[in-house]
PDB file of all heavy atoms in Angstrom:
ATOM      1  N   HIS A  34      71.747 -13.471  27.586  1.00  0.00           N
ATOM      2  CA  HIS A  34      71.340 -12.065  27.789  1.00  0.00           C
ATOM      3  C   HIS A  34      71.444 -11.368  26.441  1.00  0.00           C
ATOM      4  O   HIS A  34      72.313 -10.511  26.212  1.00  0.00           O
ATOM      5  CB  HIS A  34      72.238 -11.360  28.802  1.00  0.00           C
ATOM      6  CG  HIS A  34      72.282 -12.012  30.121  1.00  0.00           C
ATOM      7  ND1 HIS A  34      73.288 -12.935  30.453  1.00  0.00           N
ATOM      8  CD2 HIS A  34      71.507 -11.936  31.212  1.00  0.00           C
ATOM      9  CE1 HIS A  34      73.052 -13.365  31.712  1.00  0.00           C
ATOM     10  NE2 HIS A  34      71.987 -12.743  32.186  1.00  0.00           N
ATOM     11  N   PRO A  35      70.558 -11.688  25.494  1.00  0.00           N
ATOM     12  CA  PRO A  35      70.682 -11.122  24.131  1.00  0.00           C
ATOM     13  C   PRO A  35      70.528  -9.621  24.085  1.00  0.00           C
ATOM     14  O   PRO A  35      71.262  -8.947  23.328  1.00  0.00           O
ATOM     15  CB  PRO A  35      69.573 -11.816  23.337  1.00  0.00           C
ATOM     16  CG  PRO A  35      68.597 -12.282  24.394  1.00  0.00           C
ATOM     17  CD  PRO A  35      69.407 -12.588  25.602  1.00  0.00           C
ATOM     18  N   TYR A  36      69.602  -9.053  24.878  1.00  0.00           N
ATOM     19  CA  TYR A  36      69.381  -7.627  24.796  1.00  0.00           C
ATOM     20  C   TYR A  36      70.559  -6.868  25.448  1.00  0.00           C
ATOM     21  O   TYR A  36      70.988  -5.803  24.925  1.00  0.00           O
ATOM     22  CB  TYR A  36      68.077  -7.251  25.533  1.00  0.00           C
ATOM     23  CG  TYR A  36      66.882  -7.823  24.817  1.00  0.00           C
ATOM     24  CD1 TYR A  36      66.152  -8.878  25.451  1.00  0.00           C
ATOM     25  CD2 TYR A  36      66.395  -7.345  23.622  1.00  0.00           C
ATOM     26  CE1 TYR A  36      65.043  -9.405  24.826  1.00  0.00           C
ATOM     27  CE2 TYR A  36      65.302  -7.894  23.018  1.00  0.00           C
ATOM     28  CZ  TYR A  36      64.606  -8.927  23.637  1.00  0.00           C
ATOM     29  OH  TYR A  36      63.516  -9.442  23.003  1.00  0.00           O
ATOM     30  N   VAL A  37      71.103  -7.380  26.542  1.00  0.00           N
ATOM     31  CA  VAL A  37      72.266  -6.760  27.150  1.00  0.00           C
ATOM     32  C   VAL A  37      73.456  -6.824  26.197  1.00  0.00           C
ATOM     33  O   VAL A  37      74.207  -5.828  26.099  1.00  0.00           O
ATOM     34  CB  VAL A  37      72.577  -7.460  28.487  1.00  0.00           C
ATOM     35  CG1 VAL A  37      73.833  -6.857  29.095  1.00  0.00           C
ATOM     36  CG2 VAL A  37      71.399  -7.307  29.446  1.00  0.00           C
ATOM     37  N   THR A  38      73.620  -7.938  25.562  1.00  0.00           N
ATOM     38  CA  THR A  38      74.762  -8.079  24.622  1.00  0.00           C
ATOM     39  C   THR A  38      74.600  -7.093  23.447  1.00  0.00           C
ATOM     40  O   THR A  38      75.573  -6.483  23.035  1.00  0.00           O
ATOM     41  CB  THR A  38      74.788  -9.516  24.038  1.00  0.00           C
ATOM     42  OG1 THR A  38      74.862 -10.457  25.157  1.00  0.00           O
ATOM     43  CG2 THR A  38      75.980  -9.750  23.172  1.00  0.00           C
ATOM     44  N   PHE A  39      73.379  -6.898  22.956  1.00  0.00           N
ATOM     45  CA  PHE A  39      73.132  -5.972  21.857  1.00  0.00           C
ATOM     46  C   PHE A  39      73.499  -4.572  22.260  1.00  0.00           C
ATOM     47  O   PHE A  39      74.257  -3.857  21.596  1.00  0.00           O
ATOM     48  CB  PHE A  39      71.701  -6.065  21.415  1.00  0.00           C
ATOM     49  CG  PHE A  39      71.290  -4.988  20.457  1.00  0.00           C
ATOM     50  CD1 PHE A  39      71.649  -5.052  19.138  1.00  0.00           C
ATOM     51  CD2 PHE A  39      70.559  -3.886  20.910  1.00  0.00           C
ATOM     52  CE1 PHE A  39      71.291  -4.030  18.225  1.00  0.00           C
ATOM     53  CE2 PHE A  39      70.207  -2.869  20.026  1.00  0.00           C
ATOM     54  CZ  PHE A  39      70.568  -2.941  18.703  1.00  0.00           C
ATOM     55  N   PHE A  40      73.016  -4.117  23.421  1.00  0.00           N
ATOM     56  CA  PHE A  40      73.240  -2.760  23.806  1.00  0.00           C
ATOM     57  C   PHE A  40      74.679  -2.510  24.285  1.00  0.00           C
ATOM     58  O   PHE A  40      75.149  -1.359  24.296  1.00  0.00           O
ATOM     59  CB  PHE A  40      72.226  -2.319  24.923  1.00  0.00           C
ATOM     60  CG  PHE A  40      70.875  -1.991  24.419  1.00  0.00           C
ATOM     61  CD1 PHE A  40      69.824  -2.908  24.585  1.00  0.00           C
ATOM     62  CD2 PHE A  40      70.640  -0.843  23.708  1.00  0.00           C
ATOM     63  CE1 PHE A  40      68.578  -2.631  24.086  1.00  0.00           C
ATOM     64  CE2 PHE A  40      69.393  -0.529  23.187  1.00  0.00           C
ATOM     65  CZ  PHE A  40      68.354  -1.388  23.386  1.00  0.00           C
ATOM     66  N   HIS A  41      75.367  -3.575  24.721  1.00  0.00           N
ATOM     67  CA  HIS A  41      76.788  -3.462  25.054  1.00  0.00           C
ATOM     68  C   HIS A  41      77.583  -3.011  23.823  1.00  0.00           C
ATOM     69  O   HIS A  41      78.501  -2.227  23.936  1.00  0.00           O
ATOM     70  CB  HIS A  41      77.321  -4.810  25.500  1.00  0.00           C
ATOM     71  CG  HIS A  41      78.806  -4.810  25.748  1.00  0.00           C
ATOM     72  ND1 HIS A  41      79.377  -4.172  26.814  1.00  0.00           N
ATOM     73  CD2 HIS A  41      79.792  -5.377  25.038  1.00  0.00           C
ATOM     74  CE1 HIS A  41      80.703  -4.356  26.748  1.00  0.00           C
ATOM     75  NE2 HIS A  41      80.970  -5.075  25.666  1.00  0.00           N
ATOM     76  N   LEU A  42      77.159  -3.469  22.644  1.00  0.00           N
ATOM     77  CA  LEU A  42      77.851  -3.078  21.390  1.00  0.00           C
ATOM     78  C   LEU A  42      77.205  -1.880  20.718  1.00  0.00           C
ATOM     79  O   LEU A  42      77.914  -1.121  20.036  1.00  0.00           O
ATOM     80  CB  LEU A  42      77.898  -4.265  20.425  1.00  0.00           C
ATOM     81  CG  LEU A  42      78.636  -5.507  20.902  1.00  0.00           C
ATOM     82  CD1 LEU A  42      78.543  -6.611  19.866  1.00  0.00           C
ATOM     83  CD2 LEU A  42      80.112  -5.172  21.189  1.00  0.00           C
ATOM     84  N   PHE A  43      75.904  -1.712  20.895  1.00  0.00           N
ATOM     85  CA  PHE A  43      75.179  -0.682  20.162  1.00  0.00           C
ATOM     86  C   PHE A  43      75.661   0.737  20.493  1.00  0.00           C
ATOM     87  O   PHE A  43      76.012   1.518  19.595  1.00  0.00           O
ATOM     88  CB  PHE A  43      73.665  -0.768  20.457  1.00  0.00           C
ATOM     89  CG  PHE A  43      72.875   0.336  19.865  1.00  0.00           C
ATOM     90  CD1 PHE A  43      72.591   0.367  18.493  1.00  0.00           C
ATOM     91  CD2 PHE A  43      72.381   1.333  20.666  1.00  0.00           C
ATOM     92  CE1 PHE A  43      71.872   1.392  17.964  1.00  0.00           C
ATOM     93  CE2 PHE A  43      71.623   2.388  20.120  1.00  0.00           C
ATOM     94  CZ  PHE A  43      71.405   2.436  18.761  1.00  0.00           C
ATOM     95  N   PHE A  44      75.701   1.046  21.768  1.00  0.00           N
ATOM     96  CA  PHE A  44      76.119   2.430  22.168  1.00  0.00           C
ATOM     97  C   PHE A  44      77.568   2.695  21.776  1.00  0.00           C
ATOM     98  O   PHE A  44      77.883   3.767  21.339  1.00  0.00           O
ATOM     99  CB  PHE A  44      75.890   2.604  23.660  1.00  0.00           C
ATOM    100  CG  PHE A  44      74.441   2.682  24.079  1.00  0.00           C
ATOM    101  CD1 PHE A  44      73.961   1.794  25.006  1.00  0.00           C
ATOM    102  CD2 PHE A  44      73.577   3.596  23.493  1.00  0.00           C
ATOM    103  CE1 PHE A  44      72.629   1.854  25.420  1.00  0.00           C
ATOM    104  CE2 PHE A  44      72.266   3.633  23.859  1.00  0.00           C
ATOM    105  CZ  PHE A  44      71.782   2.750  24.852  1.00  0.00           C
ATOM    106  N   ARG A  45      78.433   1.675  21.902  1.00  0.00           N
ATOM    107  CA  ARG A  45      79.812   1.832  21.559  1.00  0.00           C
ATOM    108  C   ARG A  45      79.961   2.056  20.072  1.00  0.00           C
ATOM    109  O   ARG A  45      80.697   2.986  19.618  1.00  0.00           O
ATOM    110  CB  ARG A  45      80.653   0.636  21.971  1.00  0.00           C
ATOM    111  CG  ARG A  45      80.390   0.087  23.360  1.00  0.00           C
ATOM    112  CD  ARG A  45      81.604  -0.633  23.929  1.00  0.00           C
ATOM    113  NE  ARG A  45      82.079   0.170  25.054  1.00  0.00           N
ATOM    114  CZ  ARG A  45      83.333   0.151  25.461  1.00  0.00           C
ATOM    115  NH1 ARG A  45      84.196  -0.589  24.890  1.00  0.00           N
ATOM    116  NH2 ARG A  45      83.662   0.879  26.498  1.00  0.00           N
ATOM    117  N   GLY A  46      79.285   1.215  19.327  1.00  0.00           N
ATOM    118  CA  GLY A  46      79.394   1.305  17.842  1.00  0.00           C
ATOM    119  C   GLY A  46      78.755   2.581  17.350  1.00  0.00           C
ATOM    120  O   GLY A  46      79.238   3.226  16.410  1.00  0.00           O
ATOM    121  N   ALA A  75      75.832   7.037  27.544  1.00  0.00           N
ATOM    122  CA  ALA A  75      74.975   5.824  27.688  1.00  0.00           C
ATOM    123  C   ALA A  75      75.779   4.535  27.657  1.00  0.00           C
ATOM    124  O   ALA A  75      75.479   3.591  28.398  1.00  0.00           O
ATOM    125  CB  ALA A  75      73.946   5.831  26.522  1.00  0.00           C
ATOM    126  N   ASP A  76      76.814   4.549  26.834  1.00  0.00           N
ATOM    127  CA  ASP A  76      77.689   3.358  26.758  1.00  0.00           C
ATOM    128  C   ASP A  76      78.431   3.216  28.116  1.00  0.00           C
ATOM    129  O   ASP A  76      78.501   2.062  28.623  1.00  0.00           O
ATOM    130  CB  ASP A  76      78.711   3.534  25.636  1.00  0.00           C
ATOM    131  CG  ASP A  76      79.845   2.540  25.726  1.00  0.00           C
ATOM    132  OD1 ASP A  76      79.583   1.351  25.523  1.00  0.00           O
ATOM    133  OD2 ASP A  76      80.984   2.962  26.041  1.00  0.00           O
ATOM    134  N   THR A  79      75.994   1.877  30.761  1.00  0.00           N
ATOM    135  CA  THR A  79      75.543   0.526  30.440  1.00  0.00           C
ATOM    136  C   THR A  79      76.632  -0.517  30.723  1.00  0.00           C
ATOM    137  O   THR A  79      76.374  -1.541  31.390  1.00  0.00           O
ATOM    138  CB  THR A  79      75.089   0.391  28.958  1.00  0.00           C
ATOM    139  OG1 THR A  79      74.023   1.328  28.715  1.00  0.00           O
ATOM    140  CG2 THR A  79      74.597  -0.991  28.667  1.00  0.00           C
ATOM    141  N   VAL A  80      77.848  -0.219  30.304  1.00  0.00           N
ATOM    142  CA  VAL A  80      78.899  -1.174  30.499  1.00  0.00           C
ATOM    143  C   VAL A  80      79.282  -1.269  31.943  1.00  0.00           C
ATOM    144  O   VAL A  80      79.541  -2.368  32.469  1.00  0.00           O
ATOM    145  CB  VAL A  80      80.156  -0.730  29.627  1.00  0.00           C
ATOM    146  CG1 VAL A  80      81.338  -1.615  29.951  1.00  0.00           C
ATOM    147  CG2 VAL A  80      79.814  -0.812  28.148  1.00  0.00           C
ATOM    148  N   ILE A  83      75.585  -2.583  33.984  1.00  0.00           N
ATOM    149  CA  ILE A  83      74.741  -3.679  33.480  1.00  0.00           C
ATOM    150  C   ILE A  83      75.506  -4.780  32.788  1.00  0.00           C
ATOM    151  O   ILE A  83      75.545  -5.945  33.278  1.00  0.00           O
ATOM    152  CB  ILE A  83      73.629  -3.139  32.556  1.00  0.00           C
ATOM    153  CG1 ILE A  83      72.752  -2.118  33.297  1.00  0.00           C
ATOM    154  CG2 ILE A  83      72.772  -4.281  32.038  1.00  0.00           C
ATOM    155  CD1 ILE A  83      71.678  -1.507  32.418  1.00  0.00           C
ATOM    156  N   SER A  84      76.131  -4.451  31.628  1.00  0.00           N
ATOM    157  CA  SER A  84      76.716  -5.542  30.851  1.00  0.00           C
ATOM    158  C   SER A  84      77.910  -6.221  31.530  1.00  0.00           C
ATOM    159  O   SER A  84      78.063  -7.450  31.443  1.00  0.00           O
ATOM    160  CB  SER A  84      77.126  -5.008  29.485  1.00  0.00           C
ATOM    161  OG  SER A  84      78.163  -4.012  29.638  1.00  0.00           O
ATOM    162  N   LEU A  88      77.188 -10.104  31.910  1.00  0.00           N
ATOM    163  CA  LEU A  88      77.912 -10.898  30.870  1.00  0.00           C
ATOM    164  C   LEU A  88      79.147 -11.591  31.413  1.00  0.00           C
ATOM    165  O   LEU A  88      79.463 -12.681  30.935  1.00  0.00           O
ATOM    166  CB  LEU A  88      78.252  -9.987  29.688  1.00  0.00           C
ATOM    167  CG  LEU A  88      77.063  -9.262  29.012  1.00  0.00           C
ATOM    168  CD1 LEU A  88      77.550  -8.542  27.794  1.00  0.00           C
ATOM    169  CD2 LEU A  88      75.966 -10.256  28.616  1.00  0.00           C
TER     170      LEU A  88
END
Side-chain angles (χ1 to χ4, degrees):
H34 305 93
Y36 297 109
V37 177
T38 305
F39 170 77
F40 282 106
H41 174 73
L42 298 177
F43 173 74
F44 291 123
R45 315 207 113 206
D76 166 69
T79 301
V80 174
I83 300 179
S84 63
L88 301 185

